């Protein structure tokens, strides 16, 4: 038995009798029929993109997700009943979980990986509808965004989209009260169908917002010198004030900039103006200017303390007022 | 840029083409007029402070300048400045001379090229020229004022305020910079968003307001 097994695993050498050659061909055929090559390649590509710390757990999750897609009849209720009202079905919940899993794979700063994942998540949520086909394998990101638009009616359900954003914010460590104003600007009604652009913008904004709030929390920890209790109100306001000034400077109106005599065309002029604005804005949050602002605040600022929550809300407000309201 | 503490003005790097002697037709090659072109470094215009040279038997000199600006044109800065009292004698034939911008008829600013026209009508001196020609630039305000203004605001490293009991500005600044960058990322994404196509006016779908759309 042992020698037969050895010969089976290798490629068929010349001069082998036909019987043995067919066995290894059978293996190859079996593997190609099962599509194992594609499966493994997809898994490895995903792993390279995500670079998670726990490769085995990642692969387990990945294959688990795949299994739940291809397994027929996993939904509790029939497909035809999935309309807007009524409790969310187990199938929708499952799609939401999987979409969130995809969105967590790459950080928003990794642009192409993040965009791919958003596309996949969109397809997943988009395919949750009355005409979903169980045979779909919505795992490949290339071109599927366009394909699924044609299959299902034009967008993710508004309620599902809002839920996705809520989950993203809470998973990112943002308390519900802080993210509520942001969601008011971004959310969609249940009867609306969310197109891909809006979905992407919402997801990106929530991801960036979670980073922003975490950074604000760290900033508070730095400003408050923890053993002395909460930070002074003057100091907190001064620090956030410099950030506000920087943001206002970088978005300054066209009328404030002077014409640079050395520019020869409009695009040069715009680029010059933008560069100048960014330089001025970043100068406002330089260590020197900050030191000045903090020293001034310490001597002349309002009294009292500012706790972490208030600081976080004030920082969040700076961000949220600049988010475009969805219309 | 040389600092203001140095008093020595460096001459502009220029190259002098060989002199061209002008003559009419096929007549004798020595007509007593010679043209010297001084080309300035390419791509930069010069504001001339003065032109200095050593004379070598030139009786008079005219200076023509090619000024920048559409259209570029030649203007006469100095017309027939006598270098020798008497073209036939030695007086002034080997003097060191200098033409200051105040002696010129036009302000020699934004000059692309300088042309010296030498005249020596006397037949006594068959060859004549100017040697060691130098063009000294006019020291004006710093032309890169825009950039240096911004940078001078940013690089006040020597002054530091009293930071007793305050959090370290470096780490606070770096946190703020990250928050600033994140907000900018969000605002850039703002610009590329499609709309979802709502028709309400200020959150209200009242039919009377729809006529405002």
């Amino acid at each position: 038995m042992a020698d037969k097994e050895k010969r089976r695993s290798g490629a068929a050498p010349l001069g082998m009798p036909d019987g043995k050659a067919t066995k290894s061909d059978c293996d190859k055929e079996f593997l190609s029929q099962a599509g194992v090559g594609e499966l493994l390649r997809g898994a490895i590509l995903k792993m390279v993109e995500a670079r998670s710390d726990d490769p085995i757990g990642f692969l387990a999750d990945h294959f688990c997700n795949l299994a739940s897609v291809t397994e027929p009849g996993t939904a509790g209720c029939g497909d035809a009943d999935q309309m807007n009202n009524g409790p969310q079905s187990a199938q929708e919940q499952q799609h939401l979980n999987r979409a969130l899993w995809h969105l967590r794979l790459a950080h928003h700063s990794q642009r192409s990986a993040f965009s791919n994942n958003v596309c996949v998540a969109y397809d997943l949520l988009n395919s949750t509808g009355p005409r979903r086909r169980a045979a779909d394998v919505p795992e490949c990101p290339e071109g599927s965004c366009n394909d699924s638009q044609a299959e299902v009616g034009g967008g993710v359900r508004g309620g599902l989209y809002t839920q996705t954003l809520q989950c993203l914010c809470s998973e990112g460590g943002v308390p519900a009260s802080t993210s509520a104003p942001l969601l008011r600007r971004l959310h969609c009604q249940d009867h609306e169908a969310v197109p891909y652009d809006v979905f992407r913008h919402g997801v990106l904004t929530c991801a960036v917002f979670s980073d922003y709030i975490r950074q604000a929390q760290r900033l508070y920890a730095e400003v408050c010198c923890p053993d002395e209790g909460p930070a002074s109100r003057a100091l907190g306001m001064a620090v956030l004030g410099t950030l506000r000034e920087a943001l206002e400077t970088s978005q300054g109106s066209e009328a404030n900039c002077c014409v640079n005599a050395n520019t020869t065309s409009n695009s040069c002029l715009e680029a010059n103006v933008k560069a100048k604005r960014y330089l001025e804005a970043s100068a406002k949050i330089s260590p020197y200017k900050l030191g000045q602002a903090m020293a001034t605040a310490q001597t002349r600022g309002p009294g009292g303390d500012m706790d972490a929550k208030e600081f976080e809300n004030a920082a969040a407000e700076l961000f949220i007022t600049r988010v475009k309201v969805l219309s | 840029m040389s600092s203001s503490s140095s008093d020595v003005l460096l001459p502009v790097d220029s190259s002098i083409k060989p002199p061209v002697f002008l003559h009419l037709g096929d007549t004798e090659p020595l007509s007593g007029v010679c043209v010297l072109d001084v080309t300035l470094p390419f791509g930069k215009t010069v504001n001339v402070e003065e032109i200095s040279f050593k004379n070598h038997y030139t009786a008079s000199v005219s200076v023509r300048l090619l000024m920048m600006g559409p259209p570029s044109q030649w203007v006469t800065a100095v017309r027939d400045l006598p270098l020798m009292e008497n073209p036939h004698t030695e007086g002034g034939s080997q003097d060191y001379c200098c033409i200051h911008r105040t002696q010129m008829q036009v302000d020699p600013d934004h000059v692309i090229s300088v042309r010296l026209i030498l005249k020596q009508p006397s037949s006594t001196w068959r060859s004549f020229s100017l040697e060691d020609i130098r063009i000294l630039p006019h020291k004006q305000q710093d032309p890169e004022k825009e950039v240096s203004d911004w940078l001078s605001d940013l690089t006040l490293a020597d002054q530091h305020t009293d930071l007793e009991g305050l959090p370290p500005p470096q780490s606070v600044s770096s946190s703020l910079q990250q928050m600033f960058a994140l907000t900018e990322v969000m605002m850039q994404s703002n610009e590329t968003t499609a709309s979802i196509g709502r028709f309400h006016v200020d959150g209200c779908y009242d039919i009377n307001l729809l006529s405002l759309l």
Side-chain angles (χ1 to χ4, degrees):
Chain A
M1 280 302 286
D3 53 351
K4 275 196 194 150
E5 283 194 17
K6 265 192 252 168
R7 266 174 270 171
R8 197 184 300 142
S9 56
L14 291 172
M16 284 288 276
D18 283 340
K20 300 281 184 345
T22 338
K23 275 229 169 70
S24 45
D25 278 346
C26 267
D27 288 343
K28 274 197 207 158
E29 254 184 52
F30 164 72
L31 288 176
S32 61
Q33 262 181 355
V36 170
E38 280 306 315
L39 270 179
L40 289 176
R41 190 180 319 150
I44 292 176
L45 279 175
K46 269 283 168 200
M47 234 177 90
V48 166
E49 250 184 31
R51 296 191 189 252
S52 109
D53 294 324
D54 174 26
I56 295 182
F58 178 86
L59 285 172
D61 274 337
H62 177 75
F63 286 116
C64 211
N65 280 335
L66 271 185
S68 57
V69 169
T70 51
E71 207 178 314
T74 44
C77 334
D79 284 5
D81 295 336
Q82 297 317 312
M83 298 314 278
N84 310 336
N85 39 2
Q88 192 169 49
S89 72
Q91 189 194 58
E92 245 190 18
Q93 188 62 40
Q94 197 182 60
H95 279 279
L96 180 62
N97 289 337
R98 289 187 53 223
L100 287 169
W101 181 79
H102 279 284
L103 291 172
R104 262 179 257 138
L105 287 179
H107 189 253
H108 65 82
S109 58
Q110 299 164 264
R111 271 316 161 88
S112 51
F114 185 76
S115 295
N116 277 346
N117 293 336
V118 172
C119 211
V120 170
Y122 183 77
D123 288 337
L124 267 174
L125 297 176
N126 202 3
S127 60
T128 306
R131 281 177 283 142
R132 190 189 85 86
R133 298 202 305 247
D136 277 347
V137 182
E139 289 297 327
C140 48
E142 308 95 300
S144 60
C145 285
N146 294 328
D147 291 347
S148 49
Q149 284 279 3
E151 290 168 4
V152 198
V156 172
R157 187 169 68 80
L160 198 53
Y161 163 72
T162 309
Q163 234 184 338
T164 312
L165 297 184
Q166 278 166 345
C167 293
L168 274 177
C169 284
S170 62
E171 280 172 17
V174 182
S177 54
T178 315
S179 59
L182 177 69
L183 290 172
R184 273 200 289 278
R185 290 191 175 223
L186 293 177
H187 82 311
C188 283
Q189 301 296 334
D190 208 28
H191 59 267
E192 292 172 319
V194 179
Y196 176 69
D197 281 340
V198 174
F199 182 83
R200 185 174 184 279
H201 172 68
V203 166
L204 179 63
T205 307
C206 286
V208 170
F209 185 65
S210 342
D211 275 355
Y212 180 88
I213 290 296
R214 269 200 298 272
Q215 197 62 48
Q217 289 165 346
R218 259 178 253 145
L219 179 63
Y220 182 78
E222 276 164 16
V223 167
C224 88
C225 314
D227 20 315
E228 296 169 12
S232 86
R233 170 174 298 276
L235 208 50
M237 298 304 288
V239 166
L240 289 177
T242 55
L243 181 59
R244 177 184 296 112
E245 273 178 35
L247 287 170
E248 281 166 7
T249 313
S250 76
Q251 296 299 309
S253 65
E254 292 298 318
N256 288 343
C257 57
C258 46
V259 175
N260 184 338
N262 289 331
T263 56
T264 50
S265 70
N266 276 339
S267 60
C268 280
L269 178 63
E270 273 174 36
N272 258 4
V273 162
K274 258 192 177 167
K276 206 170 168 192
R277 270 201 242 129
Y278 274 122
L279 270 180
E280 284 171 359
S282 48
K284 296 203 155 62
I285 45 178
S286 67
Y288 170 67
K289 280 275 165 23
L290 258 184
Q292 265 188 332
M294 292 198 290
T296 319
Q298 209 179 37
T299 52
R300 284 193 253 138
D305 290 333
M306 193 182 212
D307 67 353
K309 188 69 195 153
E310 207 187 328
F311 187 84
E312 200 178 282
N313 285 343
E317 199 231 334
L318 281 178
F319 184 95
I320 295 175
T321 45
R322 289 172 173 82
V323 174
K324 198 166 88 164
V325 178
L326 190 56
S327 66
Chain B
M1 291 290 140
S2 48
S3 65
S4 53
S5 58
S6 107
D7 289 334
V8 176
L9 286 176
L10 299 168
V12 172
D13 213 8
S14 55
S15 65
I16 300 165
K17 294 189 184 150
V20 175
F21 287 87
L22 307 182
H23 53 92
L24 287 170
D26 291 331
T27 56
E28 53 176 272
L30 289 181
S31 64
V33 184
C34 161
V35 176
L36 268 179
D37 269 319
V38 183
T39 41
L40 300 171
F42 181 68
K44 235 176 35 167
T45 63
V46 177
N47 300 345
V48 176
E49 173 76 17
E50 61 181 34
I51 304 175
S52 66
F53 50 85
K54 179 175 183 295
N55 189 10
H56 185 78
Y57 296 94
T58 308
S60 67
V61 67
S62 299
V63 179
R64 300 255 291 166
L65 304 171
L66 180 63
M67 311 291 268
M68 193 196 76
S72 332
Q73 49 188 346
W74 286 98
V75 293
T76 306
V78 175
R79 186 182 291 283
D80 290 330
L81 176 72
L83 299 176
M84 290 163 65
E85 279 174 12
N86 186 334
H88 300 287
T89 61
E90 283 269 355
S93 56
Q94 296 184 43
D95 281 355
Y96 287 89
C97 301
C98 165
I99 306 175
H100 196 262
R101 67 187 272 134
T102 47
Q103 292 168 275
M104 302 187 190
Q105 290 170 3
V106 294
D107 273 336
D109 291 327
H110 307 301
V111 171
I112 303 176
S113 187
V114 177
R115 182 172 279 172
L116 302 163
I117 301 170
L118 316 178
K119 292 185 185 153
Q120 179 47 278
S122 168
S123 54
T124 320
W125 314 111
R126 298 181 74 83
S127 73
F128 55 94
S129 68
L130 298 179
E131 288 161 13
D132 200 17
I133 302 174
R134 292 180 201 204
I135 301 181
L136 295 178
H138 179 60
K139 271 296 183 183
Q140 247 178 353
Q141 86 223 31
D142 197 350
E144 292 177 33
K145 197 172 160 73
E146 304 260 346
V147 175
S148 70
D149 263 355
W150 309 336
L151 294 180
S152 61
D153 273 343
L154 299 176
T155 56
L156 292 168
D158 294 325
Q159 313 176 26
H160 54 88
T161 47
D162 181 19
L163 297 172
E164 288 294 322
L166 288 177
Q170 294 286 348
S171 54
V172 172
S173 168
S174 105
S175 292
L176 279 182
Q177 285 166 31
Q178 294 197 33
M179 288 165 75
F180 177 74
L182 286 170
T183 316
E184 288 294 319
V185 165
M186 179 273 293
M187 291 202 280
Q188 276 176 16
S189 165
N190 258 351
E191 289 159 21
T192 55
T193 295
S195 85
I196 201 169
R198 292 178 182 157
F199 293 103
H200 62 77
V201 176
D202 291 339
C204 173
Y205 274 104
D206 190 357
I207 197 144
N208 295 326
L209 292 176
L210 288 178
S211 60
L212 291 174
L213 287 169

